[in-house]
Protein backbone atom coordinates (compact mmCIF):
# COMPACT_ATOMS: atom_id res chain seq x y z
CA UNK A 1 0.00 0.00 0.00
CA UNK A 2 1.56 3.25 -1.15
CA UNK A 3 0.85 6.40 0.84
CA UNK A 4 1.26 9.53 -1.25
CA UNK A 5 1.80 13.00 0.20
CA UNK A 6 -0.71 15.77 -0.39
CA UNK A 7 0.90 18.42 -2.57
CA UNK A 8 -0.67 21.28 -0.62
CA UNK A 9 -0.66 20.31 3.07
CA UNK A 10 1.85 17.39 3.07
CA UNK A 11 -0.47 15.00 4.88
CA UNK A 12 -0.90 11.37 3.81
CA UNK A 13 -3.18 10.46 0.90
CA UNK A 14 -4.44 6.94 1.41
CA UNK A 15 -5.33 4.75 -1.59
CA UNK A 16 -8.79 5.51 -2.90
CA UNK A 17 -8.97 8.85 -1.12
CA UNK A 18 -8.41 12.39 -2.28
CA UNK A 19 -8.10 13.95 -5.71
CA UNK A 20 -5.39 13.68 -8.34
CA UNK A 21 -4.88 16.60 -10.71
CA UNK A 22 -2.75 16.09 -13.83
CA UNK A 23 -1.52 19.24 -15.52
CA UNK A 24 -1.15 19.53 -19.33
CA UNK A 25 2.60 18.99 -19.05
CA UNK A 26 1.97 15.66 -17.30
CA UNK A 27 2.87 16.67 -13.74
CA UNK A 28 0.68 14.98 -11.11
CA UNK A 29 -0.62 16.75 -8.02
CA UNK A 30 -2.28 14.70 -5.27
CA UNK A 31 -4.61 16.27 -2.74
CA UNK A 32 -5.87 14.63 0.45
CA UNK A 33 -9.22 16.48 0.47
CA UNK A 34 -11.20 19.05 -1.47
CA UNK A 35 -10.00 21.83 0.83
CA UNK A 36 -6.44 21.38 -0.44
CA UNK A 37 -7.59 21.07 -4.06
CA UNK A 38 -9.65 24.26 -3.86
CA UNK A 39 -6.76 26.20 -2.30
CA UNK A 40 -4.48 24.94 -5.09
CA UNK A 41 -6.98 26.07 -7.73
CA UNK A 42 -7.18 29.50 -6.06
CA UNK A 43 -3.36 29.64 -6.40
CA UNK A 44 -2.82 29.94 -2.65
CA UNK A 45 0.73 29.59 -1.39
CA UNK A 46 1.02 26.67 1.08
CA UNK A 47 3.83 28.51 2.91
CA UNK A 48 1.43 31.36 3.72
CA UNK A 49 -1.55 29.18 4.67
CA UNK A 50 -1.35 28.68 8.43
CA UNK A 51 -2.67 25.10 8.65
CA UNK A 52 -0.19 23.53 6.22
CA UNK A 53 3.00 21.67 7.03
CA UNK A 54 4.96 24.09 4.80
CA UNK A 55 3.85 27.07 6.91
CA UNK A 56 4.79 25.30 10.14
CA UNK A 57 8.29 24.58 8.82
CA UNK A 58 8.82 28.13 7.50
CA UNK A 59 7.56 29.64 10.78
CA UNK A 60 9.94 27.45 12.82
CA UNK A 61 7.20 25.43 14.49
CA UNK A 62 8.46 22.08 13.15
CA UNK A 63 11.88 20.61 12.54
CA UNK A 64 13.28 21.37 9.10
CA UNK A 65 16.71 19.77 9.05
CA UNK A 66 17.16 16.34 10.57
CA UNK A 67 18.89 13.19 9.39
CA UNK A 68 15.77 11.11 10.07
CA UNK A 69 13.97 12.83 7.16
CA UNK A 70 16.37 11.10 4.74
CA UNK A 71 14.59 7.81 5.42
CA UNK A 72 11.21 9.21 4.38
CA UNK A 73 12.36 10.30 0.93
CA UNK A 74 10.77 8.53 -1.96
CA UNK A 75 13.05 6.29 -4.02
CA UNK A 76 12.24 5.28 -7.58
CA UNK A 77 14.62 2.33 -7.79
CA UNK A 78 13.25 -1.12 -6.84
CA UNK A 79 15.53 -3.35 -4.80
CA UNK A 80 15.67 -7.09 -4.22
CA UNK A 81 15.24 -8.09 -0.60
CA UNK A 82 15.95 -11.28 1.23
CA UNK A 83 14.19 -12.14 4.48
CA UNK A 84 17.13 -11.28 6.74
CA UNK A 85 17.70 -7.92 5.11
CA UNK A 86 13.99 -7.14 5.44
CA UNK A 87 14.02 -7.95 9.17
CA UNK A 88 17.02 -5.68 9.70
CA UNK A 89 15.30 -2.91 7.73
CA UNK A 90 12.13 -3.20 9.85
CA UNK A 91 14.12 -3.01 13.10
CA UNK A 92 15.97 0.02 11.75
CA UNK A 93 12.67 1.69 10.81
CA UNK A 94 11.40 1.29 14.37
CA UNK A 95 14.63 2.72 15.77
CA UNK A 96 14.51 5.68 13.35
CA UNK A 97 10.91 6.40 14.41
CA UNK A 98 11.95 6.41 18.09
CA UNK A 99 14.87 8.74 17.39
CA UNK A 100 12.64 11.06 15.35
CA UNK A 101 10.02 11.21 18.13
CA UNK A 102 12.70 11.94 20.72
CA UNK A 103 14.18 14.75 18.63
CA UNK A 104 10.73 16.24 17.96
CA UNK A 105 9.96 16.26 21.69
CA UNK A 106 13.28 18.00 22.39
CA UNK A 107 12.56 20.54 19.63
CA UNK A 108 9.10 21.31 21.03
CA UNK A 109 10.47 21.57 24.57
CA UNK A 110 13.10 24.05 23.36
CA UNK A 111 10.39 26.10 21.59
CA UNK A 112 8.19 26.14 24.68
CA UNK A 113 11.05 27.33 26.89
CA UNK A 114 11.07 30.66 25.03
CA UNK A 115 7.28 30.87 25.42
CA UNK A 116 7.54 30.40 29.19
CA UNK A 117 9.99 33.28 29.44
CA UNK A 118 7.62 35.54 27.49
CA UNK A 119 4.69 34.46 29.68
CA UNK A 120 6.65 35.19 32.83
CA UNK A 121 7.55 38.67 31.59
CA UNK A 122 3.91 39.33 30.70
CA UNK A 123 2.76 38.07 34.12
CA UNK A 124 5.24 40.32 35.93
CA UNK A 125 4.10 43.30 33.85
CA UNK A 126 0.45 42.56 34.68
CA UNK A 127 1.35 42.13 38.36
CA UNK A 128 3.07 45.53 38.45
CA UNK A 129 0.05 47.17 36.80
CA UNK A 130 -2.51 45.58 39.14
CA UNK A 131 -0.54 45.44 42.39
CA UNK A 132 -3.25 47.47 44.17
CA UNK A 133 -5.61 44.48 43.85
CA UNK A 134 -3.15 42.11 45.51
CA UNK A 135 -1.88 44.37 48.32
CA UNK A 136 -5.05 44.22 50.47
CA UNK A 137 -5.03 40.42 50.25
CA UNK A 138 -1.40 40.32 51.36
CA UNK A 139 -2.19 42.58 54.34
CA UNK A 140 -5.08 40.29 55.35
CA UNK A 141 -2.81 37.26 55.15
CA UNK A 142 -0.20 38.95 57.31
CA UNK A 143 -2.85 39.82 59.89
CA UNK A 144 -4.09 36.20 59.95
CA UNK A 145 -0.59 34.90 60.54
CA UNK A 146 0.08 37.39 63.34
CA UNK A 147 -3.27 36.62 64.99
CA UNK A 148 -2.51 32.87 64.89
CA UNK A 149 0.90 33.50 66.43
CA UNK A 150 -0.73 35.62 69.15
CA UNK A 151 -3.26 32.83 69.86
CA UNK A 152 -0.44 30.31 70.23
CA UNK A 153 1.38 32.61 72.66
CA UNK A 154 -1.72 33.06 74.79
CA UNK A 155 -2.40 29.29 74.84
CA UNK A 156 1.09 28.56 76.13
Amino acid sequence: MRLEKCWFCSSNCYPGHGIMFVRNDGQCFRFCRSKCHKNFKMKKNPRKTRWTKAFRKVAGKEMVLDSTFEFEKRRHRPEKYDREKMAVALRAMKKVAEVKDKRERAFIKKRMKVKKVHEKVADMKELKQNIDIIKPAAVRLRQKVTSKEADKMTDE
Side-chain angles (χ1 to χ4, degrees), residues 8 10 45-65 107 111:
F8 196 79
S10 303
N45 188 347
R47 287 171 292 184
K48 293 181 181 176
T49 308
R50 293 185 67 89
W51 50 270
T52 62
K53 200 100 161 158
F55 174 85
R56 291 185 62 77
K57 285 184 179 179
V58 169
K61 297 187 179 295
E62 284 191 14
M63 289 193 306
V64 179
L65 300 172
F107 178 77
R111 253 185 55 227

Side-chain angles (χ1 to χ4, degrees), residues 2-39:
R2 171 173 275 172
L3 297 180
E4 303 285 343
K5 292 282 183 189
C6 175
W7 186 88
F8 196 79
C9 70
S10 303
S11 65
N12 289 331
C13 290
Y14 291 93
H17 293 263
I19 301 162
M20 184 171 165
F21 172 71
V22 182
R23 211 163 46 188
N24 287 341
D25 63 356
Q27 188 173 1
C28 295
F29 299 95
R30 289 195 174 270
F31 304 103
C32 59
R33 53 186 177 248
S34 61
K35 177 181 181 181
C36 298
H37 188 223
K38 287 174 186 173
N39 277 296

Side-chain angles (χ1 to χ4, degrees), residues 74-88:
R74 206 169 150 197
R75 289 159 185 85
H76 296 287
R77 190 177 306 134
E79 286 189 30
K80 287 186 178 179
Y81 285 104
D82 59 342
R83 200 172 276 207
E84 193 175 308
K85 191 175 183 181
M86 189 66 167
V88 170

